[in-house]
PDB file of all heavy atoms in Angstrom:
ATOM      1  N   GLU A   5     -44.231 -49.519  57.378  1.00 92.00           N
ATOM      2  CA  GLU A   5     -45.176 -48.422  57.140  1.00 92.00           C
ATOM      3  C   GLU A   5     -46.577 -48.951  56.872  1.00 92.00           C
ATOM      4  O   GLU A   5     -47.552 -48.479  57.465  1.00 92.00           O
ATOM      5  CB  GLU A   5     -44.700 -47.580  55.965  1.00 92.00           C
ATOM      6  CG  GLU A   5     -45.618 -46.411  55.661  1.00 92.00           C
ATOM      7  CD  GLU A   5     -45.164 -45.604  54.463  1.00 92.00           C
ATOM      8  OE1 GLU A   5     -43.981 -45.695  54.076  1.00 92.00           O
ATOM      9  OE2 GLU A   5     -46.006 -44.894  53.899  1.00 92.00           O
ATOM     10  N   VAL A   6     -46.692 -49.930  56.015  1.00 93.00           N
ATOM     11  CA  VAL A   6     -48.012 -50.467  55.651  1.00 93.00           C
ATOM     12  C   VAL A   6     -48.658 -51.199  56.823  1.00 93.00           C
ATOM     13  O   VAL A   6     -49.863 -51.092  57.041  1.00 93.00           O
ATOM     14  CB  VAL A   6     -47.890 -51.390  54.417  1.00 93.00           C
ATOM     15  CG1 VAL A   6     -49.165 -52.175  54.180  1.00 93.00           C
ATOM     16  CG2 VAL A   6     -47.543 -50.572  53.180  1.00 93.00           C
ATOM     17  N   LEU A   7     -47.854 -51.910  57.614  1.00 90.00           N
ATOM     18  CA  LEU A   7     -48.390 -52.667  58.740  1.00 90.00           C
ATOM     19  C   LEU A   7     -48.561 -51.824  60.003  1.00 90.00           C
ATOM     20  O   LEU A   7     -49.129 -52.289  60.987  1.00 90.00           O
ATOM     21  CB  LEU A   7     -47.483 -53.871  59.039  1.00 90.00           C
ATOM     22  CG  LEU A   7     -47.446 -54.947  57.954  1.00 90.00           C
ATOM     23  CD1 LEU A   7     -46.332 -55.942  58.238  1.00 90.00           C
ATOM     24  CD2 LEU A   7     -48.787 -55.656  57.872  1.00 90.00           C
ATOM     25  N   GLY A   8     -48.042 -50.591  60.003  1.00 88.00           N
ATOM     26  CA  GLY A   8     -48.153 -49.733  61.173  1.00 88.00           C
ATOM     27  C   GLY A   8     -47.249 -50.161  62.307  1.00 88.00           C
ATOM     28  O   GLY A   8     -47.585 -49.990  63.478  1.00 88.00           O
ATOM     29  N   LEU A   9     -46.086 -50.710  61.974  1.00 88.00           N
ATOM     30  CA  LEU A   9     -45.127 -51.158  62.981  1.00 88.00           C
ATOM     31  C   LEU A   9     -43.914 -50.231  62.991  1.00 88.00           C
ATOM     32  O   LEU A   9     -43.647 -49.531  62.022  1.00 88.00           O
ATOM     33  CB  LEU A   9     -44.671 -52.588  62.676  1.00 88.00           C
ATOM     34  CG  LEU A   9     -45.765 -53.648  62.650  1.00 88.00           C
ATOM     35  CD1 LEU A   9     -45.206 -54.973  62.172  1.00 88.00           C
ATOM     36  CD2 LEU A   9     -46.384 -53.807  64.029  1.00 88.00           C
ATOM     37  N   ASP A  10     -43.169 -50.257  64.095  1.00 87.00           N
ATOM     38  CA  ASP A  10     -41.957 -49.443  64.190  1.00 87.00           C
ATOM     39  C   ASP A  10     -40.857 -49.995  63.286  1.00 87.00           C
ATOM     40  O   ASP A  10     -40.216 -49.249  62.564  1.00 87.00           O
ATOM     41  CB  ASP A  10     -41.461 -49.373  65.631  1.00 87.00           C
ATOM     42  CG  ASP A  10     -42.420 -48.604  66.526  1.00 87.00           C
ATOM     43  OD1 ASP A  10     -43.140 -47.730  66.012  1.00 87.00           O
ATOM     44  OD2 ASP A  10     -42.459 -48.899  67.731  1.00 87.00           O
ATOM     45  N   THR A  11     -40.639 -51.297  63.366  1.00 87.00           N
ATOM     46  CA  THR A  11     -39.593 -51.924  62.562  1.00 87.00           C
ATOM     47  C   THR A  11     -40.062 -53.295  62.099  1.00 87.00           C
ATOM     48  O   THR A  11     -40.912 -53.925  62.732  1.00 87.00           O
ATOM     49  CB  THR A  11     -38.284 -52.115  63.353  1.00 87.00           C
ATOM     50  OG1 THR A  11     -38.550 -52.939  64.482  1.00 87.00           O
ATOM     51  CG2 THR A  11     -37.689 -50.795  63.783  1.00 87.00           C
ATOM     52  N   VAL A  12     -39.478 -53.751  61.013  1.00 90.00           N
ATOM     53  CA  VAL A  12     -39.707 -55.100  60.498  1.00 90.00           C
ATOM     54  C   VAL A  12     -38.350 -55.640  60.092  1.00 90.00           C
ATOM     55  O   VAL A  12     -37.565 -54.940  59.450  1.00 90.00           O
ATOM     56  CB  VAL A  12     -40.669 -55.085  59.284  1.00 90.00           C
ATOM     57  CG1 VAL A  12     -40.736 -56.452  58.628  1.00 90.00           C
ATOM     58  CG2 VAL A  12     -42.058 -54.640  59.708  1.00 90.00           C
ATOM     59  N   GLY A  13     -38.059 -56.872  60.488  1.00 90.00           N
ATOM     60  CA  GLY A  13     -36.794 -57.498  60.137  1.00 90.00           C
ATOM     61  C   GLY A  13     -36.849 -58.132  58.758  1.00 90.00           C
ATOM     62  O   GLY A  13     -37.930 -58.393  58.229  1.00 90.00           O
ATOM     63  N   PRO A  14     -35.694 -58.402  58.166  1.00 91.00           N
ATOM     64  CA  PRO A  14     -35.643 -58.967  56.817  1.00 91.00           C
ATOM     65  C   PRO A  14     -36.278 -60.349  56.695  1.00 91.00           C
ATOM     66  O   PRO A  14     -36.688 -60.737  55.611  1.00 91.00           O
ATOM     67  CB  PRO A  14     -34.149 -59.049  56.505  1.00 91.00           C
ATOM     68  CG  PRO A  14     -33.477 -58.209  57.514  1.00 91.00           C
ATOM     69  CD  PRO A  14     -34.367 -58.100  58.691  1.00 91.00           C
ATOM     70  N   ASP A  15     -36.368 -61.091  57.798  1.00 89.00           N
ATOM     71  CA  ASP A  15     -36.919 -62.442  57.742  1.00 89.00           C
ATOM     72  C   ASP A  15     -38.324 -62.542  58.329  1.00 89.00           C
ATOM     73  O   ASP A  15     -38.836 -63.639  58.543  1.00 89.00           O
ATOM     74  CB  ASP A  15     -35.975 -63.412  58.460  1.00 89.00           C
ATOM     75  CG  ASP A  15     -34.604 -63.436  57.815  1.00 89.00           C
ATOM     76  OD1 ASP A  15     -34.541 -63.460  56.575  1.00 89.00           O
ATOM     77  OD2 ASP A  15     -33.598 -63.410  58.542  1.00 89.00           O
ATOM     78  N   ASP A  16     -38.967 -61.407  58.593  1.00 90.00           N
ATOM     79  CA  ASP A  16     -40.324 -61.394  59.138  1.00 90.00           C
ATOM     80  C   ASP A  16     -41.341 -61.509  58.016  1.00 90.00           C
ATOM     81  O   ASP A  16     -41.273 -60.791  57.024  1.00 90.00           O
ATOM     82  CB  ASP A  16     -40.583 -60.105  59.923  1.00 90.00           C
ATOM     83  CG  ASP A  16     -39.773 -60.030  61.192  1.00 90.00           C
ATOM     84  OD1 ASP A  16     -39.490 -61.092  61.769  1.00 90.00           O
ATOM     85  OD2 ASP A  16     -39.418 -58.922  61.605  1.00 90.00           O
ATOM     86  N   SER A  17     -42.295 -62.395  58.198  1.00 89.00           N
ATOM     87  CA  SER A  17     -43.330 -62.615  57.184  1.00 89.00           C
ATOM     88  C   SER A  17     -44.402 -61.537  57.266  1.00 89.00           C
ATOM     89  O   SER A  17     -44.914 -61.224  58.345  1.00 89.00           O
ATOM     90  CB  SER A  17     -43.973 -63.987  57.366  1.00 89.00           C
ATOM     91  OG  SER A  17     -45.081 -64.126  56.494  1.00 89.00           O
ATOM     92  N   PHE A  18     -44.749 -60.985  56.123  1.00 90.00           N
ATOM     93  CA  PHE A  18     -45.795 -59.963  56.022  1.00 90.00           C
ATOM     94  C   PHE A  18     -47.092 -60.465  56.646  1.00 90.00           C
ATOM     95  O   PHE A  18     -47.752 -59.750  57.384  1.00 90.00           O
ATOM     96  CB  PHE A  18     -46.005 -59.620  54.542  1.00 90.00           C
ATOM     97  CG  PHE A  18     -47.081 -58.616  54.278  1.00 90.00           C
ATOM     98  CD1 PHE A  18     -46.889 -57.271  54.533  1.00 90.00           C
ATOM     99  CD2 PHE A  18     -48.295 -59.011  53.750  1.00 90.00           C
ATOM    100  CE1 PHE A  18     -47.874 -56.338  54.277  1.00 90.00           C
ATOM    101  CE2 PHE A  18     -49.293 -58.077  53.486  1.00 90.00           C
ATOM    102  CZ  PHE A  18     -49.081 -56.748  53.757  1.00 90.00           C
ATOM    103  N   PHE A  19     -47.453 -61.702  56.388  1.00 85.00           N
ATOM    104  CA  PHE A  19     -48.730 -62.242  56.854  1.00 85.00           C
ATOM    105  C   PHE A  19     -48.681 -62.626  58.328  1.00 85.00           C
ATOM    106  O   PHE A  19     -49.689 -62.521  59.021  1.00 85.00           O
ATOM    107  CB  PHE A  19     -49.151 -63.413  55.969  1.00 85.00           C
ATOM    108  CG  PHE A  19     -49.296 -62.994  54.536  1.00 85.00           C
ATOM    109  CD1 PHE A  19     -48.329 -63.312  53.606  1.00 85.00           C
ATOM    110  CD2 PHE A  19     -50.367 -62.225  54.125  1.00 85.00           C
ATOM    111  CE1 PHE A  19     -48.436 -62.892  52.292  1.00 85.00           C
ATOM    112  CE2 PHE A  19     -50.485 -61.792  52.814  1.00 85.00           C
ATOM    113  CZ  PHE A  19     -49.523 -62.125  51.899  1.00 85.00           C
ATOM    114  N   ASP A  20     -47.526 -63.025  58.835  1.00 82.00           N
ATOM    115  CA  ASP A  20     -47.400 -63.319  60.266  1.00 82.00           C
ATOM    116  C   ASP A  20     -47.506 -62.052  61.103  1.00 82.00           C
ATOM    117  O   ASP A  20     -47.874 -62.106  62.274  1.00 82.00           O
ATOM    118  CB  ASP A  20     -46.069 -64.015  60.567  1.00 82.00           C
ATOM    119  CG  ASP A  20     -46.028 -65.446  60.060  1.00 82.00           C
ATOM    120  OD1 ASP A  20     -47.094 -65.971  59.667  1.00 82.00           O
ATOM    121  OD2 ASP A  20     -44.930 -66.033  60.038  1.00 82.00           O
ATOM    122  N   LEU A  21     -47.158 -60.923  60.519  1.00 85.00           N
ATOM    123  CA  LEU A  21     -47.224 -59.649  61.245  1.00 85.00           C
ATOM    124  C   LEU A  21     -48.583 -58.972  61.111  1.00 85.00           C
ATOM    125  O   LEU A  21     -48.759 -57.841  61.531  1.00 85.00           O
ATOM    126  CB  LEU A  21     -46.126 -58.707  60.744  1.00 85.00           C
ATOM    127  CG  LEU A  21     -44.702 -59.145  61.041  1.00 85.00           C
ATOM    128  CD1 LEU A  21     -43.710 -58.209  60.367  1.00 85.00           C
ATOM    129  CD2 LEU A  21     -44.449 -59.195  62.540  1.00 85.00           C
ATOM    130  N   GLY A  22     -49.556 -59.658  60.539  1.00 82.00           N
ATOM    131  CA  GLY A  22     -50.909 -59.112  60.454  1.00 82.00           C
ATOM    132  C   GLY A  22     -51.309 -58.645  59.072  1.00 82.00           C
ATOM    133  O   GLY A  22     -52.387 -58.075  58.898  1.00 82.00           O
ATOM    134  N   GLY A  23     -50.477 -58.851  58.071  1.00 86.00           N
ATOM    135  CA  GLY A  23     -50.815 -58.446  56.710  1.00 86.00           C
ATOM    136  C   GLY A  23     -51.905 -59.317  56.120  1.00 86.00           C
ATOM    137  O   GLY A  23     -52.070 -60.466  56.498  1.00 86.00           O
ATOM    138  N   HIS A  24     -52.666 -58.749  55.212  1.00 87.00           N
ATOM    139  CA  HIS A  24     -53.709 -59.482  54.496  1.00 87.00           C
ATOM    140  C   HIS A  24     -53.765 -58.940  53.073  1.00 87.00           C
ATOM    141  O   HIS A  24     -52.992 -58.059  52.698  1.00 87.00           O
ATOM    142  CB  HIS A  24     -55.061 -59.367  55.209  1.00 87.00           C
ATOM    143  CG  HIS A  24     -55.436 -57.965  55.583  1.00 87.00           C
ATOM    144  ND1 HIS A  24     -55.876 -57.041  54.653  1.00 87.00           N
ATOM    145  CD2 HIS A  24     -55.402 -57.322  56.770  1.00 87.00           C
ATOM    146  CE1 HIS A  24     -56.121 -55.894  55.270  1.00 87.00           C
ATOM    147  NE2 HIS A  24     -55.826 -56.033  56.554  1.00 87.00           N
ATOM    148  N   SER A  25     -54.665 -59.457  52.277  1.00 86.00           N
ATOM    149  CA  SER A  25     -54.677 -59.138  50.848  1.00 86.00           C
ATOM    150  C   SER A  25     -54.894 -57.651  50.570  1.00 86.00           C
ATOM    151  O   SER A  25     -54.302 -57.110  49.631  1.00 86.00           O
ATOM    152  CB  SER A  25     -55.734 -59.969  50.125  1.00 86.00           C
ATOM    153  OG  SER A  25     -57.011 -59.730  50.683  1.00 86.00           O
ATOM    154  N   LEU A  26     -55.700 -56.971  51.360  1.00 90.00           N
ATOM    155  CA  LEU A  26     -55.913 -55.535  51.132  1.00 90.00           C
ATOM    156  C   LEU A  26     -54.650 -54.731  51.447  1.00 90.00           C
ATOM    157  O   LEU A  26     -54.294 -53.808  50.715  1.00 90.00           O
ATOM    158  CB  LEU A  26     -57.095 -55.022  51.953  1.00 90.00           C
ATOM    159  CG  LEU A  26     -58.450 -55.612  51.573  1.00 90.00           C
ATOM    160  CD1 LEU A  26     -59.533 -55.104  52.518  1.00 90.00           C
ATOM    161  CD2 LEU A  26     -58.797 -55.283  50.141  1.00 90.00           C
ATOM    162  N   LEU A  27     -53.970 -55.101  52.528  1.00 91.00           N
ATOM    163  CA  LEU A  27     -52.708 -54.432  52.845  1.00 91.00           C
ATOM    164  C   LEU A  27     -51.627 -54.788  51.829  1.00 91.00           C
ATOM    165  O   LEU A  27     -50.724 -53.999  51.571  1.00 91.00           O
ATOM    166  CB  LEU A  27     -52.244 -54.790  54.258  1.00 91.00           C
ATOM    167  CG  LEU A  27     -53.008 -54.138  55.406  1.00 91.00           C
ATOM    168  CD1 LEU A  27     -52.494 -54.645  56.747  1.00 91.00           C
ATOM    169  CD2 LEU A  27     -52.926 -52.632  55.337  1.00 91.00           C
ATOM    170  N   ALA A  28     -51.738 -55.978  51.234  1.00 92.00           N
ATOM    171  CA  ALA A  28     -50.764 -56.390  50.222  1.00 92.00           C
ATOM    172  C   ALA A  28     -50.833 -55.454  49.012  1.00 92.00           C
ATOM    173  O   ALA A  28     -49.798 -55.125  48.426  1.00 92.00           O
ATOM    174  CB  ALA A  28     -51.016 -57.834  49.800  1.00 92.00           C
ATOM    175  N   THR A  29     -52.023 -55.001  48.646  1.00 92.00           N
ATOM    176  CA  THR A  29     -52.133 -54.068  47.517  1.00 92.00           C
ATOM    177  C   THR A  29     -51.496 -52.731  47.873  1.00 92.00           C
ATOM    178  O   THR A  29     -50.851 -52.105  47.030  1.00 92.00           O
ATOM    179  CB  THR A  29     -53.595 -53.856  47.089  1.00 92.00           C
ATOM    180  OG1 THR A  29     -54.348 -53.367  48.190  1.00 92.00           O
ATOM    181  CG2 THR A  29     -54.205 -55.152  46.581  1.00 92.00           C
ATOM    182  N   ARG A  30     -51.646 -52.295  49.117  1.00 93.00           N
ATOM    183  CA  ARG A  30     -50.993 -51.054  49.555  1.00 93.00           C
ATOM    184  C   ARG A  30     -49.478 -51.212  49.548  1.00 93.00           C
ATOM    185  O   ARG A  30     -48.751 -50.293  49.153  1.00 93.00           O
ATOM    186  CB  ARG A  30     -51.473 -50.654  50.948  1.00 93.00           C
ATOM    187  CG  ARG A  30     -52.907 -50.155  50.957  1.00 93.00           C
ATOM    188  CD  ARG A  30     -53.365 -49.680  52.307  1.00 93.00           C
ATOM    189  NE  ARG A  30     -52.509 -48.628  52.808  1.00 93.00           N
ATOM    190  CZ  ARG A  30     -52.409 -48.329  54.092  1.00 93.00           C
ATOM    191  NH1 ARG A  30     -53.108 -48.984  54.990  1.00 93.00           N
ATOM    192  NH2 ARG A  30     -51.607 -47.363  54.486  1.00 93.00           N
TER     193      ARG A  30
END
């Protein structure tokens, strides 16, 4: 939801999928 993706797997890194510090707060 936060990254705007359809699905995220249990072993996918938040930051590898485009996450950054502002999205981390969300």
Side-chain angles (χ1 to χ4, degrees):
E5 181 182 341
V6 169
L7 293 169
L9 300 173
D10 293 333
T11 60
V12 171
D15 300 317
D16 292 329
S17 173
F18 178 75
F19 301 104
D20 288 349
L21 294 174
H24 49 75
S25 58
L26 295 176
L27 286 177
T29 58
R30 289 184 57 202

